[in-house]
């Protein structure tokens, strides 16, 4: 069987360019997205395909662990190229799945003449399958990582949009808070408030909480922490939008707001700050 492995492997390697050209023609027929269609130079495209075909041959007669390491590096680089050339994961996996049948088509005459034993065919298929499966796994992981990164970036952008800093006058801005505030969102509010206050040269910041449904101990503590951080920068903060229901909840929970200026609505807060700045 070793002789058959060596024979098939060597023939694949020796004919890698021809196999790559054949494969490229198949891809043009079967794939809607591929490197060549999306702008990769023809020679680079051909060389890329030839490399994987060579690995499929070398794995049959060289040290499999060493070839596997080369395949891993090739798969990582190719996975990145699929992203750069906008080849979807489904198309990339479909293309990779076509390698083995294309290789066996090349050996059609040997198979018809029984020059390769059925057992050798099975074992050769297993080795080539392992190469293709490894490539599929790495490409899949890279696309998954890329998707999660895009989702995280979109979520971060959405969070930043959910913490608007509205300049009202020189040195004065309002940060309207809408929706529930948890520890993660509070951290985002603090990051945005501190960075924007510093960038804009603010002296006063009004946190309008009229859109916050619940003001419990956790939310209050997070808000106190943000206001304390602003004070360290020399920025005074006022809380507006303290509805009767919030005032009652705060009182019942024993939360102490005595060191933080609070106003019933934004109009009152701005009027007071306008008086201070006049």
């Amino acid at each position: 069987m070793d002789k058959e492995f060596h024979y098939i492997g060597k023939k694949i390697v020796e004919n890698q360019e021809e196999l790559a050209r054949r494969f490229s023609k198949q891809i043009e027929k079967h794939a809607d997205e591929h490197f060549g269609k999306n702008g990769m130079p023809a020679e680079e495209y051909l060389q890329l395909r030839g490399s994987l075909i060579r690995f499929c041959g070398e794995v049959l007669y060289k040290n499999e662990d060493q070839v596997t390491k080369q395949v891993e590096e090739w798969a990582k680089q190719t996975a990145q190229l699929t992203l750069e050339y906008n080849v979807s994961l489904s198309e990339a996996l479909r293309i990779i799945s076509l390698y083995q049948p294309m290789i066996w088509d090349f050996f059609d005459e040997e198979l018809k003449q029984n020059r390769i034993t059925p057992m050798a065919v099975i074992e050769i298929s297993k080795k080539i399958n392992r190469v293709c499966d490894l490539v599929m796994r790495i490409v899949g992981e890279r696309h998954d990582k890329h998707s999660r990164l895009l989702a995280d970036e979109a979520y971060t952008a959405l969070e930043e949009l959910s913490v608007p800093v509205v300049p009202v006058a020189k040195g004065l801005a309002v940060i309207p808070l809408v929706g529930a505030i948890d520890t993660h969102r509070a951290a985002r509010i603090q990051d945005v408030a501190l960075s924007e206050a510093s960038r804009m040269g603010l002296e006063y910041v009004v946190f309008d909480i009229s859109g916050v449904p619940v003001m419990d101990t956790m939310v209050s503590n997070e808000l106190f922490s943000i206001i304390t951080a602003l004070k360290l920068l020399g920025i005074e903060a006022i809380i507006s939008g303290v509805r009767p229901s919030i005032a009652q909840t705060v009182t019942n929970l024993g939360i102490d707001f005595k060191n933080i200026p609070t106003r019933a609505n934004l109009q009152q807060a701005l009027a007071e700050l306008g008086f201070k700045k006049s």
Side-chain angles (χ1 to χ4, degrees), residues 253-264:
L253 292 173
I255 300 171
D256 187 3
F257 270 79
K258 67 181 181 181
N259 293 322
I260 301 173
T262 60
R263 297 294 178 266

Side-chain angles (χ1 to χ4, degrees), residues 137-169:
R137 177 175 63 79
I138 291 174
V139 171
E141 288 173 351
R142 182 65 187 88
H143 273 259
D144 181 59
K145 183 178 179 181
H146 180 67
S147 296
R148 284 187 279 109
L149 179 62
L150 291 179
D152 289 344
E153 289 176 350
Y155 182 69
T156 299
L158 183 62
E159 281 188 318
E160 290 174 351
L161 289 173
S162 72
V163 188
V165 180
V166 184
V168 176

Side-chain angles (χ1 to χ4, degrees), residues 183-213:
T183 302
H184 179 75
R185 188 170 180 223
R188 171 58 60 183
I189 293 170
Q190 178 165 313
D191 287 344
V192 172
L194 293 177
S195 61
E196 288 299 287
S198 178
R199 183 183 68 82
M200 297 167 68
L202 298 180
E203 299 174 40
Y204 302 96
V205 173
V206 179
F207 288 97
D208 186 71
I209 62 171
S210 55
V212 177

Side-chain angles (χ1 to χ4, degrees), residues 47-112:
Q47 184 178 3
L48 191 70
R49 298 207 181 288
S51 294
L52 183 56
I53 292 169
R54 186 181 75 252
F55 294 139
C56 288
E58 290 179 343
V59 77
L60 300 178
Y61 63 91
K62 289 187 175 181
N63 182 282
E64 189 167 347
D65 290 338
Q66 292 179 356
V67 175
T68 296
K69 290 179 181 178
Q70 293 178 297
V71 173
E72 287 178 348
E73 289 304 312
W74 180 91
K76 290 175 183 177
Q77 294 173 9
T78 302
Q80 183 59 36
L81 287 172
T82 62
L83 297 173
E84 294 175 8
Y85 283 90
N86 297 313
V87 177
S88 67
L89 176 60
S90 59
E91 282 295 284
L93 296 180
R94 188 151 69 97
I95 289 170
I96 296 166
S97 71
L98 295 174
Y99 270 89
Q100 185 170 13
M102 180 274 303
I103 289 173
W104 281 119
D105 284 346
F106 186 71
F107 290 98
D108 184 59
E109 187 60 31
E110 280 81 357
L111 293 170
K112 287 179 178 178

